[in-house]
Amino acid sequence: MSVVSRNAFGKLQRDDAGAIAGWHPLIDHMIDVAACFQQLCRCHAIERGLENAAGRRLQATDVARLSVLAFLHDVGKANSGFQAKRWDPAKHPPEWPPRAGHGGEALVLFTETCESLAERLPVDAIERWGEATWSLLIASISHHGRPIVEVSPLSNRQHAVAWKAVIGTDGRTLYDPAAVLDSIGAQATVLFPEAFVQGGEPLPESPAFGHLFAGLVQLADWLGSDSDLFPYSKDGEQRSENAARHAAEAVAAVGLDVDAWRERAAELSPAFAEIFGGNPPYPVQAAMGDPALGPLVILESETGSGKTEAALWRYVQLFQSGQVDSLFFALPTRVSASQVYGRVQKAVKRLWPDAAPVVVRALPGYTAADGHEPKALPNFEVQWPDDPDDKAAQHRWAAESPKRFLAAPIAVGTIDQALFSALQVPHAHLRHALLTRSLLVVDEVHASDPYMTVLLERLLKAHLRCGGHALLLSATLGSSARDRYLGLSSGLAAPSCTTDFDAASAVAYPAVSDFSGIKAVPSPGRSKKVEWSLHDSMDDPARIARLALDAAREGAKVLVIRNTVPGAVAVLKALEESGADPASLFNVNGVVTLHHGRFSRDDRPLLDAAVETQLGKERPPGPCIAIGTQTLEQSLDLDADLLITDLCPMDVLLQRIGRLHRHSREDDQRPSSFRKPQAWILTPAGHELEPLLNRPSHGLGPSPNGGGGIYPDLRAVEATRRLIGAHLTVTIPADNRYLVEAATHPDRLRAIEQEGGEAWERLAQRVEGEDWAQKTVGHQSALELDKPFDEQQPFPKEVGIATRLGAKDRLLRFDPAIPGPFGAPLRALPVRSFLVPSGVDPDAEPTVVAHDNGTTEFTLGTYRYRYSRLGLERLKDD
């Protein structure tokens, strides 16, 4: 390599004093990234994704030409303004132009402004590769996470200055971009000769292909920029001789090359029982072994029927057959993700008893890889607790940044990490490309709001287009939602509801659905007849407390689920004021408390573990009353004798009932009065919901200031109330389909509107209008994967785009940590957006006012708060 080309750096390392301690030539870095791209194309699922997106098989010529475009990803760094970054800003020589970037500068290089410079690259040959070449080159240049699709004329002139040679005061050329571009062009033809042979098909023009290519170049750049995986070049080193080896080792080390694990799994070929603790599969689990299932599968089955294990068994089948290289298990909440993470870890260790792939807990702030939790260091680096020089640390590469969580061979996180691949946010294309390799499992799909539903549909459409596989899990999915999702797989646009109420109610349950239709699956064999009844005590915490206490005095395990945190706290306080025995109340390390979402990140795992211990499968004898909110209805393995719950929509209510008599027990293990499962449903006074149309309460009803409560659509809530009043008992799961359709089907909702009159019709208009508005925002925020890469709009920089609509929550940090109510330190405390004072500085930190015996009072802006065994409370002004 010429001395001139080595005079351009691609990567620099500086010591603590700011002096250059490491120099990696630009062309060497470009070679590294191209080698990574080539190696990635050899990964089975990535190759499959590219070919599915292209609509044809890729030839060696195609890969070589794409590798040239990946090689050119950093061509913009050859400009003099970027190379000026070698100087300390305080010692910037006057001969050098101002510092510059390399994205817009690269774009300008291929315009008339710098035409003579661009001709030093093999542009004439590259232009003959097809109409899509320019768009693919822009995709490569945009490898820092945002599409660079346009540069203003003013910027053109500014960027052109950066491309001028640097001339010293003595007239000597200090740096010449033209000479570096000559070297880059020469290297491209030498390194990738097959790209420049005559003929060959044009590069694929499919927009999906361009967007996937963009993500793969971003991934290749992340790998090629990691100095642990790609050490800086040594003096005299010919990088082209070593880059392919580095790339192969890197792709294998971080878990993107899974051939060894696939071979080992095929060699062991474990049966279901070997992976899942000796238990034979339930019917819904066995159904996931069917090789004829399509790329999008919907599994509907009751809570507790083993859907998590069914999803893992589906992954095993697809992985062994080479149809996926990875798994991403997406759950609705951090709590549910943490629960499933442990179960996935156990299964993976049984599947691969030795040298198992890394399992990442993909939760920012709760990140873990195979049980190891990293410590954050400056400059976005992390340190693992074992030997920092241990090669095992490279296997956890995916866990070191949320942007690359999806690079893990197996990851468990919230749905947000997957939805980021469908939004106009930095590195969305990277996430999209990584997810293409995976079986995407989405749990609790019924829980999504209209905004998230739009994003999920866009995500699934893109995922399937690239040959990905997806599995949607739900205990209670309505027919309209099921038809809509299946339409994504079949390619047909499904109407809002393809069946009337009677037909929808007659659909089998449990069921497995794919492009070929809906198939009935036998229930696991355990059925429960639930006696439910309405109690108009929602506004009377003392009466709710008495109901729970009377049952506990008979020895019952009582689960009280309220729609709001204040409602839950009110019941606990009423219990304590009534003189309830503290030993019969849910506690953490001996401290009586309740379970909801307003606890610190340090305390939430303690709460989860404690509630499963006291009300789970291995629960001890004796009474217990556990009070909480929606955090109790998902993923936790709870087994209550009695459920007392606020009224809520039917699909949510069935989730809560799933925590009632969850496990089979001998009669003497349950109090005689509660040997049959009972659910007591709390309603407003007189069971009347109409007053909530204008004044929402306990999470029910639309907010008068826009938006809504937790459950704003009172039509579905009213339909649920009527069903409870009309049936003394229901059989689970046999009645699940009917119950969900009767409370959610458009025909039933319209009947409630018509019967209720003008007020209910206004509610319907409002709900539908807000749904439409949320869907519109979802479409506007989504990645434009149907457009060629160079025709999409620039990502917004000022507007925050999130996976969930609404103001963003805050995460308060206490440094140093303060002793929390249960013995764990108080370090990180999430605060819901509506509890944060308006206008408070985003960087504002909490100020501790007082601390005593696990109770901390602090201020944030103008608000005062208390954090205690009851969780976070905002204190009223004096």
Side-chain angles (χ1 to χ4, degrees):
M1 188 177 298
S2 69
V3 174
V4 170
S5 64
R6 298 192 74 87
N7 189 34
F9 75 88
K11 297 290 178 182
L12 290 179
Q13 285 180 341
R14 297 185 183 274
D15 59 24
D16 293 340
I20 294 175
W23 177 287
H24 193 46
L26 172 59
I27 291 185
D28 287 6
H29 171 66
M30 295 169 71
I31 292 172
D32 291 342
V33 172
C36 282
F37 177 80
Q38 286 186 310
Q39 189 64 33
L40 289 171
C41 289
R42 297 186 181 102
C43 295
H44 184 79
I46 291 176
E47 179 184 34
R48 177 214 67 206
L50 285 168
E51 292 186 342
N52 273 271
R56 66 172 177 84
R57 294 292 301 272
L58 293 184
Q59 306 300 321
T61 303
D62 296 312
V63 175
R65 289 172 175 174
L66 293 170
S67 298
V68 170
L69 299 178
F71 171 74
L72 293 174
H73 79 289
D74 261 352
V75 68
K77 287 184 176 179
N79 80 78
S80 301
F82 182 86
Q83 293 299 317
K85 293 183 178 181
R86 66 188 65 187
W87 302 107
D88 185 319
K91 302 176 182 178
H92 193 101
E95 304 95 312
W96 286 76
R99 290 180 165 213
H102 63 285
E105 290 78 5
L107 200 61
V108 168
L109 178 63
F110 296 99
T111 66
E112 293 181 3
T113 306
C114 298
E115 185 175 2
S116 61
L117 286 174
E119 289 174 352
R120 296 174 180 270
L121 302 172
V123 290
D124 289 340
I126 291 173
E127 286 176 348
R128 291 194 291 271
W129 296 349
E131 294 294 328
T133 305
W134 173 246
S135 181
L136 293 170
L137 179 59
I138 298 302
S140 180
I141 290 170
S142 302
H143 59 278
H144 280 295
R146 290 181 178 274
I148 304 171
V149 294
E150 61 183 6
V151 180
S152 68
L154 176 62
S155 296
N156 268 0
R157 291 193 293 272
Q158 292 174 337
H159 294 328
V161 171
W163 282 106
K164 292 184 177 180
V166 181
I167 309 298
T169 55
D170 57 359
R172 185 167 52 91
T173 300
L174 303 178
Y175 178 80
D176 186 2
V180 176
L181 291 174
D182 282 334
S183 295
I184 291 173
Q187 281 290 309
T189 56
V190 170
L191 292 171
F192 310 101
E194 195 166 4
F196 296 94
V197 297
Q198 296 292 327
E201 290 191 63
L203 288 175
E205 297 182 17
S206 160
F209 184 84
H211 288 279
L212 179 55
F213 173 72
L216 291 174
V217 175
Q218 291 178 24
L219 175 57
D221 184 61
W222 274 73
L223 291 167
S225 300
D226 191 314
S227 59
D228 290 331
L229 300 173
F230 284 84
Y232 283 11
S233 298
K234 300 176 182 178
D235 289 342
E237 177 182 351
Q238 292 297 315
R239 195 63 169 193
S240 58
E241 298 175 1
N242 301 320
R245 173 175 56 83
H246 286 312
E249 291 173 352
V251 169
V254 304
L256 294 165
D257 180 350
V258 300
D259 285 348
W261 289 312
R262 182 172 287 124
E263 291 171 6
R264 183 60 174 155
E267 179 184 334
L268 296 172
S269 190
F272 182 95
E274 294 176 72
I275 301 174
F276 300 107
N279 300 309
Y282 290 149
V284 296
Q285 296 165 339
M288 292 297 98
D290 184 355
L293 288 173
L296 175 65
V297 177
I298 300 175
L299 172 57
E300 297 174 89
S301 186
E302 70 271 24
T303 299
S305 60
K307 292 192 292 295
T308 297
E309 289 71 24
L312 292 174
W313 188 235
R314 172 73 173 155
Y315 158 71
V316 171
Q317 308 310 303
L318 293 173
F319 183 81
Q320 288 183 323
S321 62
Q323 297 182 70
V324 301
D325 281 359
S326 59
L327 167 69
F328 184 66
F329 211 124
L331 294 116
T333 65
R334 288 172 174 265
V335 173
S336 55
S338 294
Q339 291 288 325
V340 170
Y341 173 70
R343 294 161 69 181
V344 172
Q345 269 192 300
K346 291 178 181 178
V348 169
K349 288 179 180 177
R350 293 186 185 119
L351 179 56
W352 289 280
D354 52 341
V358 170
V359 181
V360 170
R361 185 169 64 201
L363 299 175
Y366 289 98
T367 307
D370 286 340
H372 295 277
E373 297 185 7
K375 177 183 178 181
L377 299 176
N379 300 320
F380 305 101
E381 295 184 352
V382 301
Q383 179 180 340
W384 295 100
D386 49 6
D387 183 354
D389 296 324
D390 190 346
K391 287 293 184 182
Q394 291 185 353
H395 300 326
R396 305 180 195 126
W397 183 83
E400 294 180 355
S401 167
K403 291 179 180 178
R404 58 197 201 208
F405 279 162
L406 299 178
I410 300 171
V412 181
T414 63
I415 184 62
D416 307 76
Q417 292 302 320
L419 294 180
F420 278 130
S421 71
L423 283 166
Q424 296 177 42
V425 295
H427 289 100
H429 290 91
L430 170 67
R431 288 182 164 100
H432 166 59
L434 290 169
L435 195 59
T436 297
R437 307 155 45 248
S438 298
L439 167 63
L440 169 63
V441 178
V442 184
D443 200 6
E444 310 290 358
V445 292
H446 71 280
S448 298
D449 57 34
Y451 174 79
M452 292 180 70
T453 296
V454 165
L455 298 183
L456 179 57
E457 290 176 1
R458 297 280 289 257
L459 162 64
L460 289 170
K461 184 178 179 181
H463 186 64
L464 296 170
R465 184 185 291 151
C466 293
H469 285 259
L471 172 60
L472 309 184
L473 307 178
S474 180
T476 49
L477 190 64
S479 58
S480 57
R482 184 182 61 251
D483 293 346
R484 198 169 56 245
Y485 288 124
L486 290 177
L488 300 174
S489 177
S490 65
L492 303 176
S496 60
C497 189
T498 59
T499 54
D500 62 21
F501 169 70
D502 290 334
S505 301
V507 172
Y509 185 93
V512 173
S513 309
D514 68 355
F515 67 93
S516 64
I518 304 172
K519 309 175 186 69
V521 180
S523 178
R526 185 168 178 269
S527 178
K528 62 184 179 185
K529 184 170 287 187
V530 178
E531 298 176 354
W532 59 10
S533 55
L534 297 171
H535 298 256
D536 58 348
S537 311
M538 183 178 276
D539 298 312
D540 190 346
R543 185 178 173 194
I544 299 169
R546 286 196 300 273
L547 291 172
L549 190 56
D550 289 345
R553 284 173 175 157
E554 294 189 46
K557 306 283 190 186
V558 183
L559 189 63
V560 181
I561 302 182
R562 309 224 61 193
N563 293 338
T564 67
V565 172
V569 172
V571 173
L572 179 58
K573 289 182 176 180
L575 270 171
E576 293 181 320
E577 291 169 0
S578 71
D581 181 0
S584 68
L585 303 180
F586 169 62
N587 71 88
V588 175
N589 295 332
V591 179
V592 173
T593 184
L594 60 168
H595 196 288
H596 57 70
R598 296 187 197 171
F599 282 94
S600 75
R601 288 187 171 181
D602 305 286
D603 287 338
R604 284 296 293 273
L606 300 179
L607 289 160
D608 296 342
V611 76
E612 286 200 326
T613 297
Q614 294 166 48
L615 255 74
K617 185 175 184 179
E618 305 299 329
R619 64 187 202 177
C624 180
I625 302 174
I627 306 166
T629 61
Q630 290 88 342
T631 57
L632 290 170
E633 72 194 31
Q634 295 175 334
S635 298
L636 294 170
D637 186 5
L638 306 182
D639 180 25
D641 299 320
L642 169 67
L643 171 68
I644 302 176
T645 173
D646 280 344
L647 180 64
C648 55
M650 180 59 74
D651 53 354
V652 179
L653 179 58
L654 289 175
Q655 284 288 113
R656 297 178 182 182
I657 289 176
R659 273 67 199 159
L660 175 64
H661 282 236
R662 186 180 180 94
H663 297 291
S664 297
R665 297 188 187 276
E666 299 295 333
D667 281 350
D668 61 0
Q669 293 182 315
R670 299 190 193 274
S672 58
S673 300
F674 300 99
R675 287 175 184 165
K676 294 181 180 179
Q678 298 178 52
W680 298 347
I681 319 301
L682 307 173
T683 66
H687 310 307
E688 290 293 329
L689 299 188
E690 188 155 342
L692 304 182
L693 290 169
N694 298 315
R695 187 177 181 182
S697 179
H698 298 287
L700 303 179
S703 169
N705 300 318
I710 301 169
Y711 308 114
D713 190 351
L714 283 176
R715 297 173 301 169
V717 180
E718 172 65 10
T720 300
R721 184 196 66 78
R722 294 183 182 187
L723 284 166
I724 298 167
H727 301 273
L728 296 177
T729 63
V730 289
T731 302
I732 306 298
D735 293 335
N736 280 27
R737 179 74 73 195
Y738 168 77
L739 292 171
V740 170
E741 294 296 344
T744 63
H745 196 280
D747 292 353
R748 286 302 180 97
L749 298 184
R750 279 193 292 271
I752 288 176
E753 296 166 30
Q754 294 166 0
E755 181 181 332
E758 184 178 350
W760 288 88
E761 290 174 355
R762 284 200 304 269
L763 170 70
Q765 294 170 358
R766 178 172 176 176
V767 169
E768 291 166 5
E770 290 177 353
D771 284 357
W772 179 85
Q774 286 194 33
K775 290 178 181 178
T776 299
V777 174
H779 286 297
Q780 292 173 341
S781 302
L783 204 56
E784 299 177 295
L785 296 176
D786 291 326
K787 292 183 178 180
F789 189 91
D790 61 328
E791 294 181 14
Q792 66 182 319
Q793 62 183 341
F795 288 178
K797 293 184 179 180
E798 303 301 327
V799 179
I801 292 180
T803 56
R804 309 185 192 220
L805 275 185
K808 293 184 178 180
D809 297 345
R810 290 286 295 272
L811 180 65
L812 304 183
R813 297 192 180 277
F814 294 83
D815 188 13
I818 301 168
F822 312 117
L826 171 58
R827 289 179 292 206
L829 178 62
V831 181
R832 297 299 305 274
S833 58
F834 60 84
L835 293 174
V836 178
S838 60
V840 69
D841 190 313
D843 298 321
E845 295 292 340
T847 300
V848 175
V849 176
H851 173 77
D852 180 54
N853 196 28
T855 296
T856 301
E857 292 191 9
F858 63 91
T859 61
L860 179 69
T862 58
Y863 286 3
R864 188 176 177 118
Y865 304 84
R866 177 191 295 127
Y867 183 71
S868 69
R869 66 185 180 92
L870 303 179
L872 178 67
E873 302 170 274
R874 182 196 159 195
L875 302 179
K876 295 182 178 179
D877 296 333
D878 293 336

